[in-house]
């Protein structure tokens, strides 16, 4: 089959690889009908995530048709259309039973590696390095889905792929970011990063009752999409004094909630950016904390800082004094996708357009160029979808 494979920093290729097979009686095989490039894939593309191996199949946002089922699979049937959460969950461990499926105890065979870094390991992830199981991803014509009765969400006929494809990751990721803010109605929320996750976080904040949403980015096409598609306010990172503008917008109090939808590859300015660049070159810092630092500094006293942006290691100059002194509640982590699927599918059925971030569509053969376009944000690129066989 054709698949998008990783071969090093800024080197992805569409190659012919071996077809996947049923390896466990709880597996299914999926014929992929739609797949997407995620902002998290850019961390792999940039070489920021360790334990990638040449030839690894990428992709954790995918959906398709079930073409084969393992002997123990009972809920999922051949021929059904399904979306698949990016985090792999067993459904039986302590964390799965408590709705924390991205922390599953039983699906990451590489857990000892992660435990050395973090103390404990989360779940296995599709297409996301041999820190998280080395599972082949879904930027391919076919993919093996373990624990299929837990991980496959059935989509009825008549619902187009693009309306539900992002239930695999970025819609629930944005929704969890908003849900973690504990919105009661009437809040002002500031969001760093108007990429796909930030856009879905903004949409979700509005669905959950926020009164004002302010998005912060440096890419004009993203800010335009945020205003036109979501009717939110925007600030330009390079042209506005973000801290002062947020104070003005909130009558001096600061946003009730701040969401960092950027993560470890944030782009700062001036001396601080130069400092982070040198630290990363020396290997004494792995993650750029520009967005998170700004969110912590800008948030009002007693507020919430929610972090859906991916972080992988350590950062310098973390403003722990501001977090402590303002009594901020910090919360983040990989998304418990399974928890939100019923709610989000109901929103889609009620008319929420979950396809709005898509700007680019292509085939798997065009993946190399599409990754680079997504990285550079050329051609006003916000979100890329690929169709195997197109």
């Amino acid at each position: 089959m054709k698949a998008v494979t990783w071969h090093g920093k800024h080197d992805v290729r569409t190659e012919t690889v071996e077809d996947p097979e049923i390896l466990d009686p709880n597996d299914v095989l999926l014929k992929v009908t739609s797949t997407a490039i995620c902002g998290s894939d850019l961390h792999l593309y940039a070489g920021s995530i360790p334990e990638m191996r040449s030839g690894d199949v990428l992709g954790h946002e995918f959906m398709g048709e079930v073409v084969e089922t393992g002997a123990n699979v009972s809920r999922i049937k051949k021929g059904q259309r399904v979306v698949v959460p990016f985090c792999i969950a067993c459904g039986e461990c302590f964390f799965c039973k408590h709705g924390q499926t991205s922390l599953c105890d039983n699906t990451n065979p590489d857990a000892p590696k992660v435990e050395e870094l973090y103390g404990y390991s989360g779940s296995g992830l599709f297409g996301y390095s041999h820190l998280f199981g080395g599972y082949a991803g879904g930027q391919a014509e076919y993919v093996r889905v373990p624990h299929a009765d837990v991980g496959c969400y059935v989509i009825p006929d008549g619902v187009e792929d693009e309306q539900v494809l992002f239930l695999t990751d970025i819609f629930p990721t944005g929704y969890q970011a908003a849900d973690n803010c504990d919105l009661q109605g009437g809040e002002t929320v500031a969001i760093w990063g108007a990429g796909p996750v930030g856009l879905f976080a903004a949409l979700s904040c509005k669905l959950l009752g926020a009164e004002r949403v302010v998005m912060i980015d440096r890419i004009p096409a993203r800010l335009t999409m945020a205003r036109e598609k979501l009717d939110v306010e925007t600030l330009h990172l390079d042209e506005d004094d973000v801290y002062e503008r947020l104070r003005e917008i909130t009558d001096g109090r600061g946003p009730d909630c701040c969401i960092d939808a950027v993560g470890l590859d944030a782009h700062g300015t001036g001396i601080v950016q130069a400092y982070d660049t040198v630290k990363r070159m020396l290997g004494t810092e792995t993650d750029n904390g520009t967005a998170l630092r700004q969110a912590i500094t800008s948030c009002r006293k007693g507020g919430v800082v929610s972090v859906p942006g991916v972080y992988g290691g350590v950062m310098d100059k973390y403003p722990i004094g501001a977090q402590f002194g303002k009594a901020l509640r910090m919360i983040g982590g990989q998304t418990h996708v399974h928890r939100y699927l019923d709610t989000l599918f109901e929103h889609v059925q009620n008319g929420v357009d979950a396809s709005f971030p898509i700007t680019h569509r292509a085939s798997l053969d065009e993946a190399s160029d599409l990754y680079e376009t997504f990285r550079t944000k050329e051609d006003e690129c916000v979100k890329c979808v690929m169709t195997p066989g197109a």
Side-chain angles (χ1 to χ4, degrees), residues 61-291:
E61 296 181 342
F62 60 88
M63 64 176 294
E65 178 185 340
V66 177
V67 293
E68 187 176 345
T69 61
N72 291 349
V73 176
S74 59
R75 187 178 68 85
I76 300 302
K77 310 298 182 184
K78 185 176 178 179
Q80 289 180 322
R81 296 171 65 229
V82 299
V83 296
V84 181
F86 75 88
C87 51
I88 303 169
C90 73
E92 297 296 328
C93 70
F94 171 90
F95 296 99
C96 286
K97 289 181 177 179
H98 285 79
Q100 297 175 317
T101 49
S102 72
L103 303 177
C104 177
D105 262 340
N106 296 324
T107 57
N108 184 7
D110 297 312
K113 299 177 185 176
V114 184
E115 289 169 358
E116 290 183 10
L117 297 173
Y118 302 154
Y120 297 93
S121 172
S123 71
L125 307 175
F126 287 103
Y128 216 75
S129 94
H130 295 264
L131 279 180
F132 301 101
Y135 292 95
Q139 290 173 9
E141 293 181 305
Y142 294 89
V143 63
R144 178 179 75 95
V145 179
H147 300 280
D149 278 337
V150 178
C152 292
Y153 189 87
V154 179
I155 301 299
D157 292 335
V159 179
E160 295 182 0
D161 278 19
E162 289 185 359
Q163 284 299 321
V164 291
L165 174 59
F166 300 144
L167 269 64
T168 57
D169 180 0
I170 56 173
F171 196 173
T173 295
Y175 196 88
Q176 178 172 287
D179 188 38
N180 282 342
C181 290
D182 194 25
L183 300 171
Q184 303 298 311
E187 292 89 355
T188 296
V189 182
I191 301 174
W192 275 256
V197 168
L199 292 166
F200 274 113
L203 170 62
S204 301
C205 284
K206 298 188 76 170
L207 291 172
L208 290 170
E211 181 176 337
R212 299 181 75 177
V213 176
V214 184
M215 303 203 71
I216 302 141
D217 207 300
R218 68 187 337 136
I219 308 298
R222 291 178 165 190
L223 296 174
T224 298
M225 179 177 283
R227 291 191 299 269
E228 293 182 351
K229 298 292 187 179
L230 300 176
D231 191 27
V232 299
E233 301 168 62
T234 61
L235 296 176
H236 194 292
L237 184 63
D238 296 335
E239 298 174 3
D240 292 301
D241 185 325
V242 173
Y243 173 76
E244 290 297 335
R245 289 288 292 117
L246 290 174
R247 283 179 63 93
E248 293 172 10
I249 289 168
T250 58
D251 295 325
R253 188 176 65 188
D256 300 290
C257 310
C258 290
I259 295 176
D260 170 10
V262 180
L264 64 90
D265 283 324
H267 296 282
T269 58
I271 295 175
V272 175
Q273 174 63 22
Y275 175 89
D276 282 322
T277 300
V278 170
K279 293 282 285 188
R280 293 183 80 174
M281 289 175 61
L282 294 174
T284 55
E285 178 182 67
T286 61
D287 298 6
N288 187 321
T290 295

